[in-house]
Amino acid sequence: MDAQIERVREILRGTTSIAVLTGAGVSAESGIATFRDPDGLWAKFSPRELASMDGFLANPERVREWYAYRKNVATTAQPNAGHIALAALEQQTTGSFSLITQNVDRLHQRAGSRNVLEVHGNLIENRCNDCETIRTDDVLICPDCSGAMRPNVVWFGEELPQDVFAAAEQAAMTCDVMIVAGTSAEVYPAAGLPYTTKRYGGIVVEVNPNRTELSSEAHYVLTGTSAHILPHLVGDVQ
Ligand code: BJW
């Protein structure tokens, strides 16, 4: 096994406080497109039109249709070895474990992860634009206040769910190790969490096939896909 992977494995075995930050790359091997890779969603679709309030107000049907398509992709996809390894790591950890995800596909939960903090919402639920009621059916008009229902995700320029992000920041401040997997680490405020961990004295481990904004700051950079690398960090994989 690669010496760096072996070293990180030892560190994880000796710690009782782990945080993980995941991004779209963790679901790539489940067949879900990332955003900023050359074949990613933002190469084909406009974030301004599809992932902003202005885009929704201009053309709600188009935005809802795009999210319905992505919800279908997510619900028919299966968790991969990376998701499963992170669920196993949570089981093995005797102290605190937080899985902070920017992903909206729910694959971590379907793999068995329990303490999942969805900082960018999810594709499964809809939320009323006015009264913020959350529903899992597909009504277009809120039955409570007649506001427009929209996907329960966080678009550009929108605040992240406050309680969820506060818990993520707390985990970043208090963990001994943060694993950062499958994210370009470009979208704030989530991208700031590994720097918080570092500032508070924690170790930052990046898992990614490509270098990112974070690579030069991480203590360990494990180069490879998450479905390949993450299983090596837990359990008995040699
Ligand atoms: C693999 C792999 C494999 C491949 N294994 N790895 C200038 C202009 C406008 C805005 C801003 C600005 N400067 C800063 C901002 C703020 C903005 C921001 O950060 N923008 C940057 C892009 C510059 N942030 C916001 O707007 C946030 N809100 C905010 O700041 O609010 C302030 C506020 C406060 C108070 C009141 C009101 C407002 C909100 C950000 C929301 C992001 N939303 C999205 C869409 C979610 C819904 C949806 O899914 O449609 O979230 S955008 C998209 O990016 C999505 C992701 O969660 C997020 C991060 O992407 P991620 O996950 O990192 O994916 P990629 O594609 O970028 O990277 C994939 C990685 O995987 C790569 O590194 C690959 O190498 C790797 N990979 N295969 C492992 N097999």
Side-chain angles (χ1 to χ4, degrees):
M1 196 191 301
D2 179 287
Q4 286 242 54
I5 295 179
E6 183 57 43
R7 179 75 195 109
V8 173
R9 213 170 124 98
E10 277 170 22
I11 291 170
L12 291 174
R13 278 195 188 136
T15 185
T16 55
S17 179
I18 299 174
V20 181
L21 172 66
T22 65
V26 165
S27 295
E29 287 152 289
S30 294
I32 298 180
T34 65
F35 294 92
R36 295 173 186 78
D37 286 311
D39 57 350
L41 293 172
W42 295 159
K44 298 181 202 123
F45 301 101
S46 155
R48 193 191 301 256
E49 286 173 18
L50 294 165
S52 77
M53 181 51 78
D54 286 350
F56 179 69
L57 293 176
N59 196 340
E61 294 79 19
R62 175 144 191 264
V63 172
R64 287 194 183 113
E65 189 187 342
W66 190 62
Y67 278 93
Y69 158 74
R70 289 182 52 214
K71 178 177 173 179
N72 187 44
V73 171
T75 52
T76 51
Q78 296 303 320
N80 64 52
H83 297 106
I84 291 165
L86 291 175
L89 184 61
E90 181 172 15
Q91 288 284 326
Q92 280 174 27
T93 306
T94 50
S96 69
F97 184 97
S98 302
L99 202 173
I100 305 159
T101 189
Q102 299 168 86
N103 296 347
V104 293
D105 56 34
R106 287 268 158 104
L107 288 181
H108 285 304
Q109 291 90 333
R110 286 172 53 204
S113 287
R114 296 282 177 88
N115 189 20
V116 183
L117 298 169
E118 290 178 322
V119 294
H120 290 166
N122 68 81
L123 291 170
I124 308 305
E125 298 168 336
N126 291 304
R127 181 173 89 236
C128 174
N129 215 13
D130 294 341
C131 73
E132 309 223 318
T133 290
I134 290 175
R135 301 180 62 93
T136 49
D137 58 19
D138 287 326
V139 292
L140 303 183
I141 301 296
C142 175
D144 294 340
C145 78
S146 304
M149 296 300 291
R150 50 160 287 179
N152 188 22
V153 297
V154 180
W155 287 326
F156 285 110
E158 292 187 325
E159 194 172 8
L160 279 61
Q162 276 181 13
D163 50 342
V164 178
F165 196 69
E169 281 187 307
Q170 183 66 23
M173 284 188 263
T174 54
C175 67
D176 297 328
V177 183
M178 176 182 277
I179 300 172
V180 184
T183 177
S184 58
E186 286 180 25
V187 177
Y188 283 80
L193 293 169
Y195 300 93
T196 300
T197 294
K198 198 174 169 186
R199 210 166 45 245
Y200 279 76
I203 295 172
V204 175
V205 178
E206 180 175 61
V207 177
N208 202 305
N210 302 304
R211 284 190 71 81
T212 73
E213 299 282 321
L214 181 68
S215 303
S216 60
E217 292 287 328
H219 298 94
Y220 295 90
V221 177
L222 307 181
T223 304
T225 73
S226 50
H228 175 69
I229 303 275
L230 292 173
H232 285 285
L233 299 182
V234 295
D236 297 323
V237 180
Q238 291 304 311

